[in-house]
Amino acid sequence: MSEQSSVAAGEIAENISRLREQAGIKQAELARQITWSPASLSRVESGDRDVSPDELQTILGAIGSEAAIKMGEAITRQWMILSRPPLDHQEQDLLWQAEQVAQQLEELRRQPDVRHAFERRLSEYLDELKRAANLILNREHKIAMIGSIGIGKSTFICRVTGLEVPGKDGGFPVSVLEAGAGGITICEVHLRTGPGVGILIEPRGEEEIRADVSDFADHIHRASRPEGSEPTVASSDSQGISKEIERAVRNMANLRIRRGEKQADGKRSSRRDEAKGLAAEFDSIRELVVEILTRMELHRRDGRDIWYDPKCGKPPLVWLKETFEQINNGRHPEFSLPKRMEVVVPERLLGIDNLDVEIVDTKGIDRTATRADLESHLDDSHTLTVLCSSFNNAPSAETQLLLERAIQTGVKSLHSRAAIVVLPRSDEAMAVKDESGFMVESIEEGYELKGEQVSLALDSLGLHDLSVEFFDARQDGVQRIQDFLAGRILNLRNDFCSQMNEIVESAEVLLGNHEQEQVQAVMQQAATMIKTWINQNSEVPQVSDHVQDSLMHEIAAVYASTLRATVRREGEWYNLSYSHHLGFGARKLAVSSLGTRVSGFSELCGTMVANPDYKEAEGLVKQAERLLLSAYEELLRKIQLMGQTAFKDELRQDSAFWFTCDQEWGRGGGYKDRVATRNKDWFDEDARKDLQRQINAVIEKEWSLALQRVKGLLAN
């Protein structure tokens, strides 16, 4: 064992200053109490002067607060197994308890007379403690807001975080994040706490921009020559790129739609589309693309961040709002098309102490909810996914689809990781009728009845008790919704602590009882039952599902323009990603094969724990269950990654496949059916069938390894 690195001087200095200020003691006053000069103490608090252990304890003793006393204890702790937590970590004591147990486990594990099977149990406990500690140590959390375009998601976020500027003539405050009737924000936006007010940009890559411009040019070129357009696709949906991207490209290339001039009779002439006028000058789409890219002057747009300067003469949030709108609409000369934006403010979001909470305003759901950027949030242990719905259709179809797909792929702890926020408008809540057909008498009663309807709709998914909250940005105070979101984050952390407590308590029982013969006999009985179950469930059931099923379903569901945009990008677009759906399909395949077996094992373990005859073996049984569940989750992630990468490599190499799919555009009706047929044929080829067989083989191998790990706890 080796001691973890000692506390850095900077961290000590920062905490001394913080504790002194919390105790209401001025620096000069504290210096007098410890008989130091104010200059010496100032150098300590700034990190310019190191302090000895005795000096530190003198300073903390003079501060005298409970927090200072706790820091005095924390600074002396010797961390050998787990990573040392920051001195201000709120779970410092729980982590120290885990560290002490881990040290005992490690000491026992190193004894020469320890049996191999028992050594395996000790090692698994150490791994569990490390995994649980890492969850607790990470204090960075995200709140991912997901919802359809136009339901008021960005307004909701700005209202909750206070990112608003005064409305005109004292009217309702205006959101800093650009809001409108939907389809406004060009990319995912992250709100986080930082050193000042600013915006950071991750630009789209050159190939991404070229693909967007190609889609736009192709649409405009065809629109200027109606005889060449795809007759089966409605004009509003014939363009692959979103209207947000189109708007930014037009502004960057100065190809706007000009309003018609006023005539003598007061009416305006028809609007003039400068992009169509430009397209008419070129016979080749490729030449048009080059011209648009040239006009965009991407080589000049190399900005990555911009920060508020008081010299601009504007209030910080007003500057932030105006700058965000310029970048979001492609009107800022220093910035390219953004792939991701970070809005930074100095205030702590939601006011949760000792946690770094980042709020993610996801790109609104327009054509499909089954996007990689959305579904990844539900599988992140440190992310609270807030599924936003309008009032009348809550829970929205998109919300139910995302939750259903998460369940299908074995995502755990949805009750902790997800919540629903309903966003009513005007008097929608007052229009609710009860079971007898009478109108509600208050907004609160309307919320209550709608909440019951939401729970009933989610009952088929087993999520009837998923947390639901309501928020009308124009009428409701923000404190309740702020408390709701903060409470859900704290609930996530409480789950982490509960996991750690269970592991610590179980390990302590193991350490206290490992030599008792009676305990050994009961544990042997429990081990026999578990091994019997393993022997009966070692084979992986065969299922009729295919890895590509999800992808083929999505191809049939999306717009033709969406499918074509994906084909032009060789299967990878934010609205339809081949690799995402193939990864999803592979993971769902594993859940279909093994989900009932894993649930059955949990039921067996629950029955044994409830049986008084197995009381002494409770720790072993729970450890076996945790180990199998952990191994199962690792299996699912590995299979998902394999589905993503294996097929993605094949697709990337098959340029002929994409070429033939692309050539189906412009051949009249049935574009999607023709492309779907080509996809089906591609997956039916022997090479792809072999990939599916490989995935099935990996599922069998990983399941066997998972069962072997559990068996390893039970030997002898």
Side-chain angles (χ1 to χ4, degrees), residues 364-552:
I365 299 172
D366 183 7
R367 302 182 178 183
T368 177
T370 56
R371 295 181 353 219
D373 62 312
L374 303 182
E375 295 191 312
S376 62
H377 292 302
L378 285 160
D379 201 24
D380 185 349
S381 59
H382 280 74
T383 295
L384 170 66
T385 302
V386 177
L387 301 161
C388 302
S389 293
S390 60
F391 187 85
N392 289 329
N393 71 341
S396 66
E398 295 84 0
T399 289
Q400 295 183 65
L401 176 61
L402 287 169
L403 291 172
E404 181 181 7
R405 284 170 61 90
I407 293 170
Q408 289 174 346
T409 51
V411 174
K412 301 298 182 183
S413 305
L414 281 175
H415 288 89
S416 299
R417 296 183 187 178
I420 293 177
V421 171
V422 182
L423 303 174
R425 293 181 177 177
S426 61
D427 296 323
E428 287 179 331
M430 292 298 294
V432 176
K433 292 183 178 181
D434 64 17
E435 295 82 355
S436 301
F438 293 105
M439 303 289 287
V440 297
E441 298 179 355
S442 66
I443 290 175
E444 288 70 24
E445 186 182 357
Y447 287 174
E448 182 179 353
L449 286 178
K450 175 55 76 170
E452 293 174 1
Q453 294 171 15
V454 171
S455 297
L456 185 62
L458 296 176
D459 190 48
S460 62
L461 299 177
L463 297 172
H464 63 278
D465 55 348
L466 194 68
S467 296
V468 180
E469 187 54 273
F470 294 80
F471 181 66
D472 185 339
R474 287 193 170 269
Q475 299 186 50
D476 297 340
V478 299
Q479 190 61 55
R480 186 181 67 187
I481 190 66
Q482 288 175 337
D483 291 344
F484 173 78
L485 295 174
R488 300 314 302 162
I489 290 292
L490 295 177
N491 185 67
L492 264 180
R493 297 202 64 80
N494 288 338
D495 279 0
F496 297 161
C497 294
S498 296
Q499 293 175 36
M500 176 64 87
N501 277 317
E502 180 179 332
I503 298 167
V504 167
E505 291 172 5
S506 183
E508 287 176 336
V509 171
L510 174 71
L511 289 167
N513 295 339
H514 75 277
E515 292 183 348
Q516 296 182 23
E517 291 184 8
Q518 181 178 349
V519 172
Q520 290 295 325
V522 175
M523 289 174 61
Q524 185 63 49
Q525 282 184 302
T528 299
M529 287 195 66
I530 294 174
K531 283 190 282 188
T532 300
W533 183 93
I534 289 174
N535 292 334
Q536 292 174 341
N537 292 273
S538 58
E539 293 186 3
V540 176
Q542 297 299 309
V543 295
S544 59
D545 299 347
H546 302 93
V547 174
Q548 69 270 22
D549 287 348
S550 172
L551 173 63
M552 297 303 295

Side-chain angles (χ1 to χ4, degrees), residues 11 45 67 109 150 180 188 194 205 218 264 339 359-360 413 487 509 525 530 542 575 600 624 684-685 690 695 706:
E11 185 182 355
E45 290 193 4
R109 189 172 73 95
E188 191 172 86
D218 181 65
K339 182 177 183 179
I359 295 180
V360 182
S413 305
V509 171
Q525 282 184 302
I530 294 174
Q542 297 299 309
N575 252 344
D684 283 343
E685 292 178 9
D690 186 55
I695 288 175

Side-chain angles (χ1 to χ4, degrees), residues 42 60 63 134 142 148 157 160 241 278 295 330 339 347 356-357 361 462 580 615 617 627 633 681 706-707:
S42 177
L60 295 174
I63 293 175
N134 287 336
K142 292 179 182 178
S148 298
I157 292 171
V160 169
I241 60 172
L278 179 65
R295 290 178 175 227
K339 182 177 183 179
E347 295 79 16
D356 295 322
V357 178
D361 185 7
H580 172 65
K615 180 175 178 55
L627 177 56
E633 289 186 11
D681 293 342
L707 295 181

Side-chain angles (χ1 to χ4, degrees), residues 273-322:
D273 188 342
E274 295 179 345
K276 288 184 179 179
L278 179 65
E281 300 176 12
F282 295 91
D283 293 328
S284 165
I285 294 177
R286 183 173 299 175
E287 289 179 313
L288 179 59
V289 169
V290 172
E291 177 63 23
I292 294 173
L293 288 171
T294 302
R295 290 178 175 227
M296 291 171 70
E297 296 186 316
L298 295 175
H299 62 284
R300 298 181 185 274
R301 298 176 177 273
D302 57 356
R304 295 294 183 270
D305 63 308
I306 186 169
W307 297 90
Y308 171 71
D309 185 345
K311 294 178 182 178
C312 72
K314 299 176 182 178
L317 292 185
V318 172
W319 172 88
L320 187 61
K321 179 181 185 300
E322 293 177 355

Side-chain angles (χ1 to χ4, degrees), residues 471-678:
F471 181 66
D472 185 339
R474 287 193 170 269
Q475 299 186 50
D476 297 340
V478 299
Q479 190 61 55
R480 186 181 67 187
I481 190 66
Q482 288 175 337
D483 291 344
F484 173 78
L485 295 174
R488 300 314 302 162
I489 290 292
L490 295 177
N491 185 67
L492 264 180
R493 297 202 64 80
N494 288 338
D495 279 0
F496 297 161
C497 294
S498 296
Q499 293 175 36
M500 176 64 87
N501 277 317
E502 180 179 332
I503 298 167
V504 167
E505 291 172 5
S506 183
E508 287 176 336
V509 171
L510 174 71
L511 289 167
N513 295 339
H514 75 277
E515 292 183 348
Q516 296 182 23
E517 291 184 8
Q518 181 178 349
V519 172
Q520 290 295 325
V522 175
M523 289 174 61
Q524 185 63 49
Q525 282 184 302
T528 299
M529 287 195 66
I530 294 174
K531 283 190 282 188
T532 300
W533 183 93
I534 289 174
N535 292 334
Q536 292 174 341
N537 292 273
S538 58
E539 293 186 3
V540 176
Q542 297 299 309
V543 295
S544 59
D545 299 347
H546 302 93
V547 174
Q548 69 270 22
D549 287 348
S550 172
L551 173 63
M552 297 303 295
H553 177 272
E554 200 63 20
I555 287 174
V558 299
Y559 288 102
S561 55
T562 297
L563 179 56
R564 196 206 177 199
T566 303
V567 167
R568 289 170 65 97
R569 293 163 176 81
E570 296 186 341
E572 295 305 319
W573 196 42
Y574 81 95
N575 252 344
L576 177 59
S577 166
Y578 271 52
S579 63
H580 172 65
H581 283 285
L582 291 169
F584 174 91
R587 180 165 173 158
K588 184 181 176 184
L589 192 70
V591 173
S592 298
S593 299
L594 300 173
T596 54
R597 272 167 162 57
V598 174
S599 298
F601 186 72
S602 290
E603 290 175 5
L604 171 67
C605 292
T607 301
M608 293 175 67
V609 168
N611 189 336
D613 294 342
Y614 291 102
K615 180 175 178 55
E616 290 83 358
E618 180 177 332
L620 173 64
V621 174
K622 286 186 174 180
Q623 186 182 16
E625 181 184 11
R626 289 194 305 270
L627 177 56
L628 186 66
L629 290 176
S630 175
Y632 177 58
E633 289 186 11
E634 291 176 15
L635 179 155
L636 293 181
R637 290 194 172 93
K638 182 176 289 187
I639 293 300
Q640 183 174 8
L641 182 61
M642 183 177 180
Q644 289 173 343
T645 56
F647 284 95
K648 187 174 182 179
D649 291 342
E650 287 274 316
L651 287 163
R652 186 187 297 116
Q653 295 169 12
D654 198 343
S655 56
F657 167 71
W658 297 115
F659 177 79
T660 55
C661 288
D662 189 44
Q663 293 302 300
E664 297 294 349
W665 184 261
R667 291 180 51 201
Y671 167 74
K672 287 204 306 177
D673 292 338
R674 294 194 298 274
V675 173
T677 298
R678 290 194 177 278

Side-chain angles (χ1 to χ4, degrees), residues 333-348:
E334 298 177 16
F335 295 96
S336 179
L337 286 174
K339 182 177 183 179
R340 180 176 184 262
M341 286 194 278
E342 289 189 13
V343 174
V344 184
V345 292
E347 295 79 16
R348 186 177 291 275

